[in-house]
Amino acid sequence: MAVLTTGSTEAVADRLRRLRFHRVDLIILPVVFLADVLVFSRMLRIEGATAAERVAIVIYSGAGIGLLLLRWRAPVAVYIAAVVLALPPLLISDYYIPFLIPLVALAAVAQLRPPRVSLWCLAASVLPIALLVGKAVLQASPSGRLPSAAGSAVFYSAGFVLAWGLGQWIGRNQRRLEQIRVQHELEVREQQKLAENAVSVERLRIARELHDIVAHSVTIMVLHAAGARRVVRTDPDRAAESLTTIEESGQQAMTELRRLLALLRESDDGPDRVDAMVPGLAHVDQILAQVRNSGVRVTLEISGQPARLDASVDLAAYRLIQEGITNVTKHCGTGAQVAVTVEWGAEKVTVAVEDDGLGVRSAAPAGGGGHGLAGLRERIAIAAGEFSAGPTESGGFRVAARLPVSTGSPIPPPAKASRPVEEHLGVDR
């Protein structure tokens, strides 16, 4: 956990003072005022002070309460002022004992200032304690002065020590809670930054893949245009087929270009890599075979009539299955049961990976929490699909997407991409 510096500690204290000014003072100060004038004075005694003296006691106590309102901003100065304010009644009057106001001021010092400062203030309380004990001894009978001195010394000393200890405890808890809050905010910002970086990386990766797909479509168009030009007079039917392929390739290229431009990619500074195949749903069996060899039980269920998918949509479906299974091997491990389903519809294809949440994980996941879901959500959104991920009622986890089905006849998949596809990002829950 992060350690707050002296400057940040003062900032925390200022914030705490602002937050607790009304809530605390509106409860504590009236109670202190009533106890001060009713318990530690002769206001309610029959042989007590005159009306003028009672008014003076109320005004004097009210001045002390008003002084306590400033203790959040200057606790040490307020404590010193409270001690000084208590001296005249202790020296010249028997009708009023200002005891509670210095206690509240001392508690504020212990709460808001370092121990080395509050301990000096606690040591300075020897003066008011001595005056309070002296007043008790003077008011006692000659035979009871020693017990009165001992009892009052214990009582008043315990009051100041308890006030200091209470302030220390409150201040320590407040600082700890504030540290937790600040640390939590830092962690949230860090997680947001990591998620944003993961999305940016995924967007760049998708842009590269879409670039490969568009390049392939354009290559197909150029080759078929050249072939059609050669046979347009000798074999019109073959030339017409080539023109149809050119048209469909052009439509696909335009669709992929729109998705590519939607990324608003600023630059592509990634290093050159070895060529690799651009995968799709036709390559899912390869993933399943690898996972089965690792001890994870995988089933594949395909329903409906398979239809044509744009290359980027086909790749997004493949990535969802790949990363969903990676998620299972990472979090569940050997013995887990995984169901991969592909449901073909007239306009949408639904691809899902669901595990049962069981299995024996051989080791903790490498690295910290990943952001594969964020990147996968971004990929599905760019492919104009609907993405969902979350726990199931049986205790497992499900990742699914509904992707649009293309219209028209299929276009042959690219044999090689001009740029390879990066290795997948792990999916973390």
Side-chain angles (χ1 to χ4, degrees):
M1 180 176 291
V3 179
L4 297 180
T5 61
T6 303
S8 60
T9 303
E10 293 298 327
V12 168
D14 290 339
R15 181 175 181 273
L16 293 173
R17 289 194 293 270
R18 290 194 299 270
L19 289 177
R20 290 166 173 78
F21 175 78
H22 294 293
R23 186 174 63 185
V24 172
D25 289 351
L26 291 179
I27 297 174
I28 292 180
L29 296 188
V31 174
V32 171
F33 174 76
L34 292 176
D36 197 46
V37 299
L38 298 180
V39 177
F40 292 92
S41 72
R42 297 186 179 182
M43 287 281 294
L44 300 181
R45 299 179 185 177
I46 299 176
E47 70 281 3
T50 64
E53 290 173 331
R54 290 175 179 174
V55 171
I57 291 174
V58 171
I59 294 175
Y60 207 84
S61 179
I65 297 298
L67 184 64
L68 291 179
L69 292 173
L70 304 176
R71 72 191 187 281
W72 303 115
R73 295 186 176 275
V76 176
V78 168
Y79 175 69
I80 295 174
V83 172
V84 172
L85 188 67
L87 295 180
L90 293 175
L91 294 173
I92 64 176
S93 174
D94 293 334
Y95 297 103
Y96 178 50
I97 303 174
F99 174 59
L100 294 181
I101 292 176
L103 291 187
V104 176
L106 179 61
V109 174
Q111 177 180 344
L112 301 174
R113 291 294 179 262
R116 64 180 183 274
V117 176
S118 62
L119 284 174
W120 278 107
C121 292
L122 178 62
S125 64
V126 172
L127 176 60
I129 291 174
L131 294 176
L132 289 168
V133 172
K135 181 178 284 292
V137 170
L138 292 176
Q139 292 177 349
S141 61
S143 60
R145 287 180 178 177
L146 183 59
S148 178
S152 59
V154 172
F155 175 78
Y156 292 125
S157 298
F160 278 91
V161 172
L162 289 176
W164 179 85
L166 179 63
Q168 280 285 308
W169 179 78
I170 294 175
R172 184 167 53 251
N173 282 297
Q174 287 177 346
R175 287 187 288 273
R176 181 177 60 84
L177 292 175
E178 187 65 15
Q179 285 181 339
I180 294 173
R181 185 193 66 81
V182 171
Q183 183 67 20
H184 175 69
E185 291 180 355
L186 291 175
E187 291 176 354
V188 168
R189 285 197 293 268
E190 183 66 19
Q191 289 296 321
Q192 290 175 345
K193 183 178 179 180
L194 291 175
E196 291 172 358
N197 291 339
V199 170
S200 298
V201 170
E202 186 70 4
R203 287 166 70 89
L204 180 59
R205 171 183 166 187
I206 297 170
R208 288 169 174 166
E209 294 170 348
L210 291 179
H211 172 274
D212 298 339
I213 295 169
V214 172
H216 164 74
S217 298
V218 173
T219 302
I220 293 293
M221 293 167 62
V222 172
L223 293 176
H224 280 273
R229 181 175 57 82
R230 287 193 300 268
V231 300
V232 66
R233 291 186 177 87
T234 60
D235 193 349
D237 291 338
R238 185 177 176 185
E241 292 177 358
S242 295
L243 291 175
T244 300
T245 302
I246 292 172
E247 180 184 4
E248 292 177 350
S249 296
Q251 292 174 350
Q252 183 191 31
M254 290 300 298
T255 300
E256 304 298 355
L257 277 174
R258 283 192 293 269
R259 290 171 181 155
L260 180 61
L261 293 175
L263 291 174
L264 298 178
R265 182 164 60 99
E266 295 181 359
S267 63
D268 183 4
D269 300 326
D272 295 335
R273 296 160 294 175
V274 181
D275 289 347
M277 297 292 293
V278 177
L281 288 179
H283 302 87
V284 168
D285 288 335
Q286 300 175 6
I287 306 177
L288 303 188
Q290 296 173 357
V291 174
R292 291 189 183 105
N293 293 335
S294 67
V296 177
R297 295 170 294 172
V298 185
T299 60
L300 174 63
E301 180 180 351
I302 302 176
S303 60
Q305 182 63 38
R308 176 181 180 273
L309 295 177
D310 288 342
S312 63
V313 177
D314 197 15
L315 179 59
Y318 174 86
R319 288 302 185 199
L320 183 137
I321 295 175
Q322 184 185 49
E323 297 181 6
I325 292 178
T326 299
N327 187 52
V328 175
T329 58
K330 183 177 181 180
H331 291 278
C332 297
T334 304
Q337 179 71 39
V338 186
V340 179
T341 57
V342 180
E343 301 177 6
W344 292 94
E347 298 180 353
K348 298 279 187 178
V349 58
T350 302
V351 182
V353 178
E354 181 176 344
D355 65 82
D356 57 3
L358 304 177
V360 179
R361 192 174 63 197
S362 58
H371 299 278
L373 287 180
L376 191 57
R377 188 183 303 275
E378 181 76 11
R379 177 183 292 274
I380 299 301
I382 291 172
E386 302 170 7
F387 177 77
S388 63
T392 62
E393 294 182 357
S394 61
F397 198 81
R398 185 174 188 268
V399 180
R402 296 181 72 241
L403 296 163
V405 174
S406 304
T407 58
S409 59
I411 297 176
K416 288 253 184 181
S418 60
R419 292 183 186 171
V421 180
E422 293 180 346
E423 292 184 358
H424 63 270
L425 297 176
V427 178
D428 273 345
R429 309 177 190 182

